[in-house]
Short mmCIF file of all heavy atoms in Angstrom, two decimals:
data_model
loop_
_atom_site.label_atom_id
_atom_site.label_comp_id
_atom_site.label_asym_id
_atom_site.label_seq_id
_atom_site.Cartn_x
_atom_site.Cartn_y
_atom_site.Cartn_z
N TYR A 1 -85.24 113.44 -238.55
CA TYR A 1 -86.35 112.66 -238.02
C TYR A 1 -85.96 111.18 -238.08
O TYR A 1 -86.39 110.43 -238.97
CB TYR A 1 -87.64 112.92 -238.78
CG TYR A 1 -88.79 112.16 -238.17
CD1 TYR A 1 -89.32 112.55 -236.94
CD2 TYR A 1 -89.32 111.03 -238.78
CE1 TYR A 1 -90.34 111.83 -236.35
CE2 TYR A 1 -90.34 110.30 -238.19
CZ TYR A 1 -90.85 110.70 -236.97
OH TYR A 1 -91.84 109.98 -236.38
N GLY A 2 -85.12 110.76 -237.16
CA GLY A 2 -84.64 109.39 -237.10
C GLY A 2 -83.91 109.16 -235.80
O GLY A 2 -83.81 110.06 -234.94
N ASN A 3 -83.39 107.96 -235.65
CA ASN A 3 -82.59 107.66 -234.45
C ASN A 3 -81.26 108.39 -234.48
O ASN A 3 -80.71 108.73 -233.44
CB ASN A 3 -82.36 106.15 -234.34
CG ASN A 3 -83.64 105.38 -234.10
OD1 ASN A 3 -84.39 105.70 -233.19
ND2 ASN A 3 -83.90 104.38 -234.93
N TYR A 4 -80.75 108.60 -235.69
CA TYR A 4 -79.48 109.30 -235.88
C TYR A 4 -79.61 110.23 -237.07
O TYR A 4 -80.49 110.05 -237.92
CB TYR A 4 -78.34 108.30 -236.14
CG TYR A 4 -78.17 107.26 -235.08
CD1 TYR A 4 -78.73 106.00 -235.22
CD2 TYR A 4 -77.43 107.54 -233.92
CE1 TYR A 4 -78.59 105.04 -234.23
CE2 TYR A 4 -77.27 106.58 -232.93
CZ TYR A 4 -77.85 105.33 -233.09
OH TYR A 4 -77.70 104.38 -232.11
N THR A 5 -78.72 111.21 -237.15
CA THR A 5 -78.61 111.99 -238.37
C THR A 5 -77.92 111.13 -239.42
O THR A 5 -77.43 110.03 -239.15
CB THR A 5 -77.79 113.27 -238.15
OG1 THR A 5 -76.41 112.93 -237.97
CG2 THR A 5 -78.30 114.05 -236.95
N CYS A 6 -77.87 111.63 -240.64
CA CYS A 6 -77.24 110.86 -241.72
C CYS A 6 -75.77 110.57 -241.43
O CYS A 6 -75.23 109.56 -241.87
CB CYS A 6 -77.39 111.60 -243.04
SG CYS A 6 -79.11 111.82 -243.57
N ALA A 7 -75.12 111.44 -240.66
CA ALA A 7 -73.71 111.25 -240.31
C ALA A 7 -73.53 110.56 -238.96
O ALA A 7 -72.40 110.43 -238.48
CB ALA A 7 -72.98 112.59 -240.31
N GLY A 8 -74.62 110.11 -238.35
CA GLY A 8 -74.51 109.32 -237.13
C GLY A 8 -74.58 110.08 -235.82
O GLY A 8 -74.27 109.52 -234.76
N TYR A 9 -75.02 111.33 -235.85
CA TYR A 9 -75.18 112.12 -234.63
C TYR A 9 -76.59 111.91 -234.07
O TYR A 9 -77.44 111.32 -234.74
CB TYR A 9 -74.89 113.59 -234.92
CG TYR A 9 -73.43 113.84 -235.23
CD1 TYR A 9 -72.91 113.65 -236.52
CD2 TYR A 9 -72.54 114.24 -234.22
CE1 TYR A 9 -71.56 113.86 -236.80
CE2 TYR A 9 -71.20 114.45 -234.49
CZ TYR A 9 -70.72 114.26 -235.78
OH TYR A 9 -69.38 114.46 -236.04
N PRO A 10 -76.88 112.37 -232.87
CA PRO A 10 -78.19 112.08 -232.26
C PRO A 10 -79.35 112.59 -233.11
O PRO A 10 -79.38 113.76 -233.53
CB PRO A 10 -78.13 112.83 -230.92
CG PRO A 10 -76.68 112.89 -230.59
CD PRO A 10 -75.98 113.07 -231.92
N GLY A 11 -80.32 111.70 -233.36
CA GLY A 11 -81.52 112.08 -234.08
C GLY A 11 -82.58 112.61 -233.13
O GLY A 11 -82.40 112.65 -231.91
N ILE A 12 -83.72 112.97 -233.72
CA ILE A 12 -84.74 113.68 -232.95
C ILE A 12 -85.79 112.75 -232.34
O ILE A 12 -86.53 113.16 -231.44
CB ILE A 12 -85.43 114.72 -233.86
CG1 ILE A 12 -85.99 115.89 -233.05
CG2 ILE A 12 -86.52 114.07 -234.71
CD1 ILE A 12 -86.44 117.05 -233.91
N LEU A 13 -85.83 111.48 -232.78
CA LEU A 13 -86.86 110.58 -232.29
C LEU A 13 -86.78 110.42 -230.77
O LEU A 13 -85.70 110.22 -230.21
CB LEU A 13 -86.74 109.21 -232.96
CG LEU A 13 -87.20 109.12 -234.41
CD1 LEU A 13 -87.08 107.69 -234.92
CD2 LEU A 13 -88.62 109.62 -234.58
N GLY A 14 -87.94 110.54 -230.14
CA GLY A 14 -88.01 110.47 -228.70
C GLY A 14 -87.75 111.79 -228.01
O GLY A 14 -87.85 111.88 -226.78
N HIS A 15 -87.43 112.83 -228.79
CA HIS A 15 -87.06 114.13 -228.21
C HIS A 15 -87.70 115.29 -228.97
O HIS A 15 -87.17 116.40 -228.94
CB HIS A 15 -85.54 114.29 -228.20
CG HIS A 15 -84.79 113.22 -227.48
ND1 HIS A 15 -84.55 113.26 -226.12
CD2 HIS A 15 -84.26 112.06 -227.93
CE1 HIS A 15 -83.87 112.18 -225.77
NE2 HIS A 15 -83.69 111.43 -226.84
N LEU A 16 -88.81 115.04 -229.64
CA LEU A 16 -89.36 116.08 -230.52
C LEU A 16 -89.69 117.36 -229.77
O LEU A 16 -89.30 118.46 -230.19
CB LEU A 16 -90.60 115.56 -231.24
CG LEU A 16 -90.36 114.76 -232.53
CD1 LEU A 16 -89.71 113.43 -232.24
CD2 LEU A 16 -91.67 114.56 -233.29
N GLN A 17 -90.41 117.25 -228.67
CA GLN A 17 -90.78 118.45 -227.93
C GLN A 17 -89.56 119.11 -227.31
O GLN A 17 -89.43 120.34 -227.34
CB GLN A 17 -91.81 118.12 -226.86
CG GLN A 17 -92.34 119.34 -226.14
CD GLN A 17 -93.50 119.03 -225.21
OE1 GLN A 17 -93.75 117.87 -224.89
NE2 GLN A 17 -94.22 120.05 -224.77
N THR A 18 -88.67 118.32 -226.76
CA THR A 18 -87.45 118.87 -226.15
C THR A 18 -86.62 119.64 -227.17
O THR A 18 -86.15 120.75 -226.89
CB THR A 18 -86.60 117.74 -225.55
OG1 THR A 18 -87.33 117.10 -224.51
CG2 THR A 18 -85.29 118.28 -224.98
N ASP A 19 -86.47 119.06 -228.35
CA ASP A 19 -85.64 119.73 -229.36
C ASP A 19 -86.31 120.98 -229.90
O ASP A 19 -85.64 121.99 -230.17
CB ASP A 19 -85.33 118.76 -230.50
CG ASP A 19 -84.34 117.67 -230.08
OD1 ASP A 19 -83.84 117.73 -228.94
OD2 ASP A 19 -84.08 116.77 -230.88
N ALA A 20 -87.62 120.96 -230.05
CA ALA A 20 -88.32 122.17 -230.49
C ALA A 20 -88.12 123.30 -229.49
O ALA A 20 -87.83 124.45 -229.86
CB ALA A 20 -89.80 121.89 -230.69
N LEU A 21 -88.24 122.98 -228.21
CA LEU A 21 -88.03 123.99 -227.17
C LEU A 21 -86.58 124.46 -227.13
O LEU A 21 -86.30 125.65 -226.94
CB LEU A 21 -88.43 123.42 -225.81
CG LEU A 21 -89.94 123.21 -225.60
CD1 LEU A 21 -90.18 122.39 -224.34
CD2 LEU A 21 -90.66 124.55 -225.50
N THR A 22 -85.66 123.53 -227.33
CA THR A 22 -84.24 123.90 -227.35
C THR A 22 -83.94 124.85 -228.50
O THR A 22 -83.25 125.87 -228.31
CB THR A 22 -83.37 122.63 -227.50
OG1 THR A 22 -83.60 121.77 -226.39
CG2 THR A 22 -81.89 122.98 -227.55
N PHE A 23 -84.46 124.55 -229.68
CA PHE A 23 -84.22 125.43 -230.82
C PHE A 23 -84.80 126.81 -230.57
O PHE A 23 -84.18 127.83 -230.91
CB PHE A 23 -84.83 124.82 -232.09
CG PHE A 23 -84.20 123.52 -232.52
CD1 PHE A 23 -84.89 122.65 -233.35
CD2 PHE A 23 -82.93 123.16 -232.11
CE1 PHE A 23 -84.32 121.45 -233.76
CE2 PHE A 23 -82.34 121.96 -232.51
CZ PHE A 23 -83.04 121.10 -233.33
N ALA A 24 -85.98 126.85 -229.99
CA ALA A 24 -86.57 128.16 -229.68
C ALA A 24 -85.72 128.91 -228.67
O ALA A 24 -85.50 130.12 -228.81
CB ALA A 24 -87.99 127.97 -229.16
N ASP A 25 -85.24 128.22 -227.64
CA ASP A 25 -84.39 128.86 -226.63
C ASP A 25 -83.11 129.40 -227.25
O ASP A 25 -82.58 130.43 -226.80
CB ASP A 25 -84.04 127.87 -225.52
CG ASP A 25 -85.22 127.53 -224.64
OD1 ASP A 25 -86.23 128.26 -224.68
OD2 ASP A 25 -85.14 126.53 -223.89
N TRP A 26 -82.61 128.73 -228.26
CA TRP A 26 -81.38 129.16 -228.92
C TRP A 26 -81.60 130.28 -229.94
O TRP A 26 -80.64 130.78 -230.54
CB TRP A 26 -80.72 127.98 -229.61
CG TRP A 26 -80.03 127.01 -228.68
CD1 TRP A 26 -79.69 127.22 -227.38
CD2 TRP A 26 -79.62 125.67 -229.00
NE1 TRP A 26 -79.08 126.10 -226.86
CE2 TRP A 26 -79.02 125.13 -227.83
CE3 TRP A 26 -79.69 124.87 -230.14
CZ2 TRP A 26 -78.49 123.85 -227.79
CZ3 TRP A 26 -79.16 123.59 -230.10
CH2 TRP A 26 -78.57 123.08 -228.93
N GLY A 27 -82.84 130.65 -230.20
CA GLY A 27 -83.11 131.71 -231.17
C GLY A 27 -83.03 131.25 -232.61
O GLY A 27 -82.71 132.04 -233.50
N VAL A 28 -83.35 129.99 -232.86
CA VAL A 28 -83.31 129.45 -234.22
C VAL A 28 -84.48 130.01 -235.04
O VAL A 28 -85.59 130.16 -234.54
CB VAL A 28 -83.36 127.90 -234.17
CG1 VAL A 28 -83.60 127.32 -235.55
CG2 VAL A 28 -82.08 127.34 -233.57
N ASP A 29 -84.19 130.30 -236.32
CA ASP A 29 -85.21 130.85 -237.22
C ASP A 29 -85.62 129.88 -238.32
O ASP A 29 -86.61 130.12 -239.02
CB ASP A 29 -84.67 132.11 -237.90
CG ASP A 29 -84.19 133.15 -236.91
OD1 ASP A 29 -85.02 133.67 -236.15
OD2 ASP A 29 -82.97 133.42 -236.89
N TYR A 30 -84.85 128.80 -238.50
CA TYR A 30 -85.04 127.90 -239.64
C TYR A 30 -84.56 126.52 -239.22
O TYR A 30 -83.45 126.39 -238.68
CB TYR A 30 -84.20 128.44 -240.80
CG TYR A 30 -84.13 127.63 -242.07
CD1 TYR A 30 -84.83 128.00 -243.21
CD2 TYR A 30 -83.29 126.52 -242.17
CE1 TYR A 30 -84.73 127.29 -244.40
CE2 TYR A 30 -83.18 125.79 -243.36
CZ TYR A 30 -83.89 126.19 -244.46
OH TYR A 30 -83.79 125.48 -245.64
N VAL A 31 -85.40 125.51 -239.40
CA VAL A 31 -85.04 124.15 -239.01
C VAL A 31 -85.11 123.25 -240.23
O VAL A 31 -86.16 123.15 -240.89
CB VAL A 31 -85.98 123.60 -237.92
CG1 VAL A 31 -85.61 122.15 -237.58
CG2 VAL A 31 -85.92 124.47 -236.67
N LYS A 32 -84.01 122.59 -240.55
CA LYS A 32 -83.96 121.58 -241.60
C LYS A 32 -84.01 120.21 -240.93
O LYS A 32 -83.13 119.87 -240.14
CB LYS A 32 -82.68 121.72 -242.42
CG LYS A 32 -82.52 120.64 -243.50
CD LYS A 32 -81.20 120.83 -244.25
CE LYS A 32 -80.97 119.70 -245.25
NZ LYS A 32 -79.68 119.87 -245.96
N LEU A 33 -85.04 119.43 -241.26
CA LEU A 33 -85.22 118.13 -240.64
C LEU A 33 -85.08 117.04 -241.70
O LEU A 33 -85.94 116.87 -242.55
CB LEU A 33 -86.59 118.03 -239.97
CG LEU A 33 -86.81 116.83 -239.04
CD1 LEU A 33 -85.85 116.89 -237.85
CD2 LEU A 33 -88.25 116.77 -238.55
N ASP A 34 -83.96 116.32 -241.63
CA ASP A 34 -83.64 115.25 -242.56
C ASP A 34 -84.41 113.99 -242.20
O ASP A 34 -85.27 114.01 -241.31
CB ASP A 34 -82.12 115.01 -242.53
CG ASP A 34 -81.57 114.59 -243.88
OD1 ASP A 34 -82.32 114.00 -244.68
OD2 ASP A 34 -80.36 114.83 -244.13
N GLY A 35 -84.12 112.86 -242.88
CA GLY A 35 -84.92 111.66 -242.65
C GLY A 35 -84.16 110.35 -242.64
O GLY A 35 -84.77 109.30 -242.84
N CYS A 36 -82.85 110.39 -242.38
CA CYS A 36 -82.09 109.15 -242.29
C CYS A 36 -82.48 108.37 -241.03
O CYS A 36 -82.95 108.95 -240.05
CB CYS A 36 -80.59 109.44 -242.27
SG CYS A 36 -79.90 109.99 -243.84
#
């Protein structure tokens, strides 16, 4: 939940709904959301 992940990869801000739908499409069962 930031502009970037702790290691500098794309964060979820601005894409919350898109990423939730993407995870569901991929068959994800568990989501860990960090805060960097």
